[in-house]
Each structure stands twice: as structure tokens, then as C-alpha cells.
Amino acid sequence: MPDIAPIIEARELTRSFGGFVAVKNVNLRIRSGTIHALIGPNGAGKSTLFNLLTKFLAPSSGRIFFKDRDITRMAPADIARLGLVRSFQISSVFPHLSAHENVRVALQARERDTFAFWKSDEKLRRFNEEAMALLDSVGLADKAYARASELSYGRKRALELATTLALNPEVLLLDEPMAGMGTEDIGRTAALIRRVGAGRTVLMVEHNLGVVADLSDRITVLRRGEIIAEGTYSEVSSDSEVRKAYMGGAHG
């Protein structure tokens, strides 16, 4: 594959907590239009790296670029406006609002005059139609008027994805999208990620290696805060260092 300019790039990224180095001199290039997974055994540093790339943590050293723009010191809200939006966060929906209302809030948040409820009926009707279209895109049209708190775990995750898509992201940042799901929800959510990821870039941390194998174009494997392998699933799964890292451990 030719060397395409990355949409996200980390250069010599390091994060220390006291004397412990969780991420060490990581150089990472994420290609536009791909699904890229970060994996590794427990304690590998993948969640810390993901939090650095999504700006929920500040690096101790190193730099992060989005489309050649240095975003190292930018806040999560600022990078969201650029098109990098993180989904699947705890408490990212309002439990007592309906699914439709949750998406409509996200659509209103996309605009500069956020939560301007005095807008004309015509303006609000536009949000209603967009919200329903987004719910339909994630398979929740039949649950539009159900409270978020009444949805199953997997359906809540689909609603979170709909609220993320409301912000029209260029890059979807998914934090363990399959965590806590049963087999049926995993299959549904994987299919959903593949569908909504078409035409976008997706970066995800995921423990389920079956999902990673099925969805990912490229995989970065970490161990003790450093990259030990990168490539397709077949390439990294046959790598001797990766096999050594996972031997006898849980796969996440």
C-alpha cells in the first residue's frame, strides 16, 4: 500500500504517571478511511494512548497531528469541532430523555447557538427529521420515543453512536464499543460500526479479538506502553512478539 499522508499522527508520544511510563515514544500513523484498532494485553497502555489521542489526557512529551495540524494542546471539545468525535463514553446519553430527544440535543449542540430552544418551529422540525433519520441509520427508529433508560445495553450503545453521528464526525473514536455486550449485541454493533464507518476513519480500542479481526483494516499492538507490531490481523497474529505478549493472558 502506498504511503498515504495520515489523518492522525502521533510523534514520540509519551505519558508518565509519577515514575511509571504508561506510553513510551509511540509513533503512530492512522490512514484516512480505515478502521484502525489498538489492542494489547492488560496493562499494555492502549487505553492511555487512546486517551492521549482523543485529548482526554495530556502527553508528558510528544506531539499529535490531525491532517497536519498540531492538536497536542487542544481540548476534546475543540477537536470535536474539527471532526474528531469520541463515542461510547460512560453517561454519554441523558437517561430520562427519549432516544429521539437525545439525538435532537446532539444536533442542537452541533450549532454555535447551542440549546437555543427559542428557535422557530421550522428550525426545530428540521432537527426532528434529522434525529429520526439518524435513529433509523443505527436501527433505532422503532425505539425513537422510548426513554434511553429503558433501552437494552446494546441499544444504548447504538443511541450513543447516533448522538456521535449527529456531530457529523470525520473520525469516529470508539472506546471499547463491545464492552459488556452479549453475542447478539456484539454482532449487531459490529455491523453498525462497519456501516457508519464507510467513508469515515475509525479508531477504536477493543478487547474482543474476533471483532478486531472482522472489522479492522489495520491493527497496532502495544505491550508495556510501546508498539510491538502493526499491520493486518493476519500479519500481527502471526508475529512472534505478539504471540509472546498474549501467551497466558487475557486478550485485552
Side-chain angles (χ1 to χ4, degrees):
M1 193 170 183
D3 189 30
I4 303 165
I7 189 166
I8 300 174
E9 183 176 10
R11 299 180 191 168
E12 300 294 317
L13 207 57
T14 296
R15 173 68 195 212
S16 301
F17 297 94
F20 173 68
V21 181
V23 170
K24 184 178 179 183
N25 296 329
V26 163
N27 291 292
L28 179 66
R29 293 163 62 88
I30 297 163
R31 295 169 178 158
S32 179
T34 62
I35 297 179
H36 195 125
L38 299 176
I39 69 169
N42 291 326
K46 57 193 179 297
S47 293
T48 302
L49 177 58
F50 186 80
N51 285 332
L52 290 168
L53 295 171
T54 58
K55 311 316 305 355
F56 280 70
L57 274 178
S60 302
S61 62
R63 297 165 78 192
I64 304 164
F65 294 85
F66 174 60
K67 296 198 289 191
D68 289 329
R69 176 175 178 172
D70 192 331
I71 62 167
T72 310
R73 302 300 167 196
M74 292 179 72
D78 295 326
I79 68 163
R81 279 191 282 272
L82 294 180
L84 289 90
V85 183
R86 177 169 171 167
S87 186
F88 298 124
Q89 293 159 233
I90 295 167
S91 302
S92 58
V93 297
F94 298 101
H96 300 301
L97 294 182
S98 71
H100 185 268
E101 288 167 331
N102 265 284
V103 178
R104 199 173 84 167
V105 166
L107 286 166
Q108 288 174 270
R110 186 180 67 194
E111 305 212 343
R112 289 291 178 171
D113 49 348
T114 305
F115 307 121
F117 292 106
W118 45 261
K119 286 179 179 177
S120 69
D121 288 343
E122 183 182 351
K123 188 85 166 179
L124 292 177
R125 273 200 300 274
R126 181 177 66 79
F127 284 133
N128 287 343
E129 291 164 8
E130 278 192 83
M132 190 58 79
L134 283 164
L135 288 170
D136 187 50
S137 76
V138 299
L140 283 180
D142 61 329
K143 300 290 185 182
Y145 301 108
R147 281 188 178 190
S149 58
E150 296 167 359
L151 299 176
S152 70
Y153 187 76
R155 291 292 185 95
K156 278 194 183 95
R157 284 292 174 98
L159 176 56
E160 289 169 358
L161 188 52
T163 62
T164 303
L165 293 174
L167 301 178
N168 198 25
E170 187 172 354
V171 180
L172 272 174
L173 306 164
L174 306 183
D175 185 9
E176 298 184 20
M178 309 300 168
M181 287 190 185
T183 305
E184 184 182 338
D185 280 337
I186 285 173
R188 184 188 291 124
T189 304
L192 179 55
I193 290 169
R194 182 182 288 106
R195 188 164 72 247
V196 301
R200 293 185 172 93
T201 304
V202 178
L203 172 64
M204 66 177 182
V205 170
E206 181 50 55
H207 286 261
N208 187 314
L209 294 185
V211 168
V212 169
D214 184 42
L215 285 181
S216 303
D217 299 303
R218 195 161 186 84
I219 298 162
T220 298
V221 188
L222 291 113
R223 180 181 60 192
R224 293 196 288 273
E226 298 182 85
I227 294 174
I228 59 169
E230 196 167 78
T232 64
Y233 186 80
S234 61
E235 288 168 344
V236 301
S237 62
S238 61
D239 186 281
S240 60
E241 286 301 306
V242 174
R243 288 177 176 274
K244 195 185 301 181
Y246 274 99
M247 270 179 58
H251 42 241

